[in-house]
Amino acid sequence: MEEKEIIKFDDFNLSRELNSAVSAMGFEEPTPIQSKTIPILLSGRDVIGQAQTGTGKTAAYGIPIVEKAEPENLLVHAIILTPTRELAIQVAEEMNKIGRFKRIFAVPIYGGQSIDRQIRLLRKGVHVVVGTPGRVIDHIRRKTLRLESVKMVVLDEADEMLDMGFIDDIGTILKQTPKERQTLLFSATMPKEILKIASRYMQNPEKVMISKDALTVPMINQIFYEVRPSEKMDALCRLIDAEDSDLFLIFCHTKREVDDVASDLKLRGYDAEAIHGDFSQFQREAVMKKFREGRIDVLVATDVAARGLDISNITHVVNYSIPQNPESYVHRIGRTGRAGKEGVAITFVTPREDRQLRLIQTVAKTKIKRGKLPTLDDVMGARIENIKERIQEFVDDKRLDAFVKMAERLSEGLTPIEVAASLLKFQLEGFGAEAEKRGDLSIEDTGASPGMVRLFITIGRQQKIRPGDIVRHIAEKAGIDGKAIGNIKILEKFTFVEVPKDMAEKVIDAVHKGMMAGKKISAAPARPRNP
Ligand code: AMP
C-alpha cells in the first residue's frame, strides 16, 4: 500500500532557517514531487525522480541539499548539472533563495560567460555549483573547481542532457566526485538510457514517479497562451477586457505571487482581491462576502486557499502559473463552468514550461488549444458588443422616455449617427486612455538600473521634499532597508526613485494613496525614459 503523502512542510522537520526560507518564498505546501522526494533525500538515499520544470523539482532537491550543507564549510557540497545555461541560472537563483537564511551560496557556471569572472566567484568559495557539463569540465581541467568534497550530485533534466550528447561529460564529472556521494537524477521521461545511467552511477535509487490515476476533465473550453513571464500581466488584462465574463479566478503558485498579481491588477484599476493561507478566517470571509456581492471581478488565489471556496459564478479560471501537476490542473479548471454555464480555462505557459503542458495533456487525457491573445482592436470590439447589448436592454426600460427627450435636444442640427458617434467617443475615451496607461505599467521596463524598478511618485520640490525624506518614508512604510533604495530624482511636482525589483510591488502598495508631507500621493512604475 502506498504511504500516506506528506502534505505540510512542517512534517519534514526542517531547520528553522529552511522553514523561514520556504515561507519567505511563499510556498504554502509541498508539491507532490516534493512530498515524495524530500524525505527520501533527507534519509540519504539516491533518487530518480520523474519531473519537469513547473513541478517544483528544484526545491525538491534544493531543500535537502541546503538542509545538509554546512555554511561554515566553504567547500563545494553539491553540484547540479543542467543541459542549458538558462536552467543553470534559474536553478542557481532558486538555490540561493532556499539557502538565504542558512547562508548557503550557489553560483551558475555556464558556457558563453567570461570564465575569469566564474573563476573569481569559485575562488571566493561556494557551497553549490550549478553548471552545464562542458563548462564544468573546463573548470575541472583548469583546477578552478574541485569536487572531492561533494556530497550530493544532481543530474537535472537528464533526458535533455542525453539528447544533447553530454553522456560522456557526465561520466567524467561524476568520476571526480567521491564514491560515497548521494546521486539524484531528475528527468521528464524515463527512456532506457536514463535507467542505464542510473544503474551505472547510482546506488539502489528509489524511483519517484508521478501517479497516473485516471482524471476526469470537465467539459470546459481549455486554451493556453504562450507568454514570457514579463508579459503575463498585460496578457491577463487584455483577456479580462476582451472576454465576456462574470468572475475570473486566477491561480498562482505562491502567496507572494498572489499578492503581487492582485495588487498589480488593483493598480491597473480592476476590482481584484487576493486570498491565500496567510489570511485569517475573518479576512477570508470579508473577501468572500465582497465576491458574493459581485463587488469583485477578479479573485487571485493559491491552490490551498481556493480549495475551500464555495462560489458558483466563475466564468473564467486562469492558471497564471502553470499547475505543478495534472491533478491540480483538473481541480483548478473544475471551478469554472458550473451550473450549466460553459466555462473557460486559460493557462499561461512560458516557453520553458512546454513539457509540463504536454504532460498535463497526456495524463489528464485532454486537449488544450493554443490561443492568440486579443489585440487592442479585439478589446475595443468586445466593448462595442457589450455596449450594444446594454442598449438593447435599455430600449425596453421604462426610463427610456426621459432620455429620448434629452437625445432629441442633443440631435438638433445633427444626424443621430453623429450624436451616437460622439457619445461613443466620450464613453470609450476613458477606456482608451486606461488601456494605454496599462501598457506602460509593466514593472519590467521602467528604464531603471539592472535589477531595479523606477517608480514615479507624485510629490516633489513644491512640497520641499528631499532625498532623505523619500528614503525614510519608503523604508518606514514598506518596512524595507533604506540602503536598498537606489537613485532618486526630485523634480518640481514629481519624484523618480529606484527600488529593487522584488520590492517594487511592496513599496507601491505601501505608499500609493498614502499621505506624505501633508499631501495624498500616488506611486506607480515609471514610463521608460526612451520608449
Ligand atoms: P520548478 O519545477 O522547480 O521549476 O518550479 C516551478 C515554480 O514553482 C518555481 O517558481 C518555484 O519557485 C515554484 N514552487 C516550487 N515549490 C513550490 C511550492 N511548494 N509551492 C508553491 N510554489 C512552488
Side-chain angles (χ1 to χ4, degrees):
M1 215 177 81
E2 200 169 302
E3 267 175 60
K4 191 176 168 297
E5 272 186 22
I6 292 178
I7 47 156
K8 290 204 215 75
F9 276 107
D10 279 352
D11 298 329
F12 299 138
N13 287 324
L14 299 171
S15 60
R16 194 170 39 84
E17 292 94 335
L18 260 290
N19 280 324
S20 306
V22 164
S23 83
M25 289 167 86
F27 297 174
E28 284 187 316
E29 64 177 26
T31 65
I33 188 88
Q34 291 164 359
S35 299
K36 290 187 180 162
T37 313
I38 292 176
I40 311 174
L41 291 180
L42 289 174
S43 78
R45 289 195 56 184
D46 287 3
V47 164
I48 301 185
Q50 185 169 29
Q52 54 263 300
T53 299
T55 53
K57 70 177 161 64
T58 316
Y61 60 73
I63 289 173
I65 288 178
V66 171
E67 184 73 347
K68 287 175 175 226
E70 297 157 354
E72 58 288 351
N73 214 343
L74 251 187
L75 295 168
V76 180
H77 289 62
I79 175 151
I80 301 165
L81 297 178
T82 68
T84 62
R85 57 190 271 175
E86 290 77 18
L87 187 62
I89 296 169
Q90 190 182 313
V91 168
E93 270 177 13
E94 184 104 339
M95 291 302 299
N96 279 318
K97 285 188 198 152
I98 299 171
R100 186 169 137 210
F101 293 94
K102 197 166 169 187
R103 307 194 62 72
I104 297 297
F105 303 107
V107 285
I109 296 289
Y110 49 87
Q113 192 195 37
S114 139
I115 195 145
D116 293 335
R117 206 184 107 101
Q118 295 174 353
I119 292 172
R120 277 199 302 278
L121 281 172
L122 288 171
R123 214 176 267 148
K124 273 202 222 155
V126 290
H127 303 100
V128 180
V129 168
V130 190
T132 48
R135 188 49 78 94
V136 167
I137 290 190
D138 211 353
H139 280 287
I140 292 176
R141 294 215 174 104
R142 290 168 184 249
K143 302 212 172 2
T144 44
L145 172 64
R146 312 182 64 99
L147 299 180
E148 60 264 14
S149 52
V150 161
K151 300 208 164 50
M152 293 170 100
V153 177
V154 183
L155 308 178
D156 199 350
E157 297 199 351
D159 50 356
E160 290 216 5
M161 286 202 281
L162 281 191
D163 287 349
M164 291 168 77
F166 285 138
I167 176 84
D168 295 339
D169 290 352
I170 291 174
T172 311
I173 296 167
L174 283 170
K175 273 199 205 96
Q176 304 290 317
T177 63
K179 277 222 166 53
E180 55 285 5
R181 65 166 191 261
Q182 202 177 348
T183 315
L184 334 175
L185 181 153
F186 287 84
S187 190
T189 57
M190 289 290 161
K192 269 202 218 85
E193 293 80 356
I194 295 280
L195 302 175
K196 241 190 250 162
I197 296 192
S199 68
R200 194 176 319 152
Y201 299 112
M202 302 177 82
Q203 286 184 11
N204 189 19
E206 181 125 354
K207 291 203 186 86
V208 175
M209 302 290 171
I210 297 155
S211 83
K212 291 233 162 84
D213 296 346
L215 290 167
T216 333
V217 178
M219 293 297 289
I220 284 166
N221 189 8
Q222 302 170 67
I223 308 165
F224 78 90
Y225 296 97
E226 196 174 291
V227 286
R228 286 198 300 271
S230 60
E231 296 167 341
K232 284 187 181 181
M233 184 44 70
D234 282 336
L236 178 60
C237 293
R238 286 261 165 104
L239 288 166
I240 298 176
D241 289 342
E243 298 270 316
D244 180 16
S245 68
D246 277 346
L247 294 172
F248 268 76
L249 176 61
I250 317 271
F251 283 100
C252 300
H253 284 160
T254 66
K255 293 181 268 187
R256 267 183 70 171
E257 203 181 3
V258 165
D259 286 334
D260 289 351
V261 170
S263 64
D264 219 350
L265 283 170
K266 278 192 218 167
L267 201 63
R268 290 164 185 241
Y270 296 96
D271 291 326
E273 286 292 338
I275 194 160
H276 59 59
D278 282 354
F279 279 49
S280 66
Q281 188 59 23
F282 179 74
Q283 287 171 306
R284 235 179 117 92
E285 275 162 18
V287 172
M288 290 314 300
K289 185 159 176 281
K290 268 190 174 176
F291 201 69
R292 274 192 295 267
E293 289 170 358
R295 287 191 286 142
I296 300 177
D297 297 330
V298 192
L299 184 66
V300 193
T302 54
D303 286 284
V304 180
R307 230 167 262 160
L309 296 185
D310 176 27
I311 27 182
S312 54
N313 44 342
I314 299 163
T315 47
H316 292 72
V317 162
V318 178
N319 295 305
Y320 196 81
S321 336
I322 195 162
Q324 278 146 332
N325 55 84
E327 289 81 1
S328 152
Y329 177 79
V330 174
H331 288 149
R332 284 180 177 189
I333 70 167
R335 306 306 310 254
T336 181
R338 292 185 169 177
K341 291 186 210 148
E342 172 158 316
V344 183
I346 290 165
T347 304
F348 286 164
V349 182
T350 65
R352 284 204 61 82
E353 290 163 348
D354 188 47
R355 284 181 149 212
Q356 177 68 356
L357 178 76
R358 272 187 272 151
L359 177 90
I360 290 172
Q361 301 197 71
T362 318
V363 176
K365 295 196 191 61
T366 186
K367 177 97 186 92
I368 310 175
K369 289 183 302 226
R370 179 188 287 275
K372 214 169 131 270
L373 281 172
T375 61
L376 274 182
D377 279 349
D378 297 335
V379 173
M380 190 64 94
R383 295 267 305 197
I384 301 277
E385 273 312 306
N386 184 282
I387 292 175
K388 202 167 154 187
E389 266 176 37
R390 281 166 52 199
I391 291 178
Q392 228 127 35
E393 274 169 30
F394 192 63
V395 167
D396 299 328
D397 196 297
K398 284 198 282 297
R399 289 167 299 171
L400 184 74
D401 284 351
F403 285 88
V404 166
K405 293 211 172 62
M406 286 189 237
E408 280 165 2
R409 261 184 72 193
L410 271 183
S411 23
E412 278 162 22
L414 300 166
T415 67
I417 290 288
E418 281 166 344
V419 174
S422 310
L423 288 178
L424 202 53
K425 173 175 185 289
F426 305 148
Q427 167 79 20
L428 292 177
E429 209 165 40
F431 152 73
E434 256 318 282
E436 261 170 42
K437 209 161 72 206
R438 273 174 210 157
D440 286 337
L441 271 175
S442 161
I443 64 164
E444 295 299 322
D445 184 20
T446 56
S449 329
M452 306 288 276
V453 172
R454 206 157 132 265
L455 302 185
F456 166 83
I457 302 182
T458 53
I459 195 158
R461 273 201 297 273
Q462 265 183 3
Q463 285 77 28
K464 303 200 170 31
I465 288 297
R466 302 199 304 156
D469 303 324
I470 296 281
V471 171
R472 262 192 308 280
H473 185 80
I474 292 181
E476 204 176 279
K477 294 284 176 205
I480 66 171
D481 187 351
K483 289 197 209 78
I485 298 169
N487 289 342
I488 297 179
K489 188 167 179 203
I490 300 184
L491 305 174
E492 195 54 26
K493 290 185 183 163
F494 312 117
T495 295
F496 290 106
V497 53
E498 294 194 359
V499 298
K501 205 174 221 161
D502 57 349
M503 299 179 184
E505 289 298 344
K506 197 167 162 188
V507 171
I508 292 172
D509 264 1
V511 302
H512 183 59
K513 296 206 170 137
M515 296 294 286
M516 184 175 178
K519 180 179 184 290
K520 188 161 181 199
I521 59 173
S522 300
R527 288 160 193 269
R529 268 175 272 224
N530 299 308

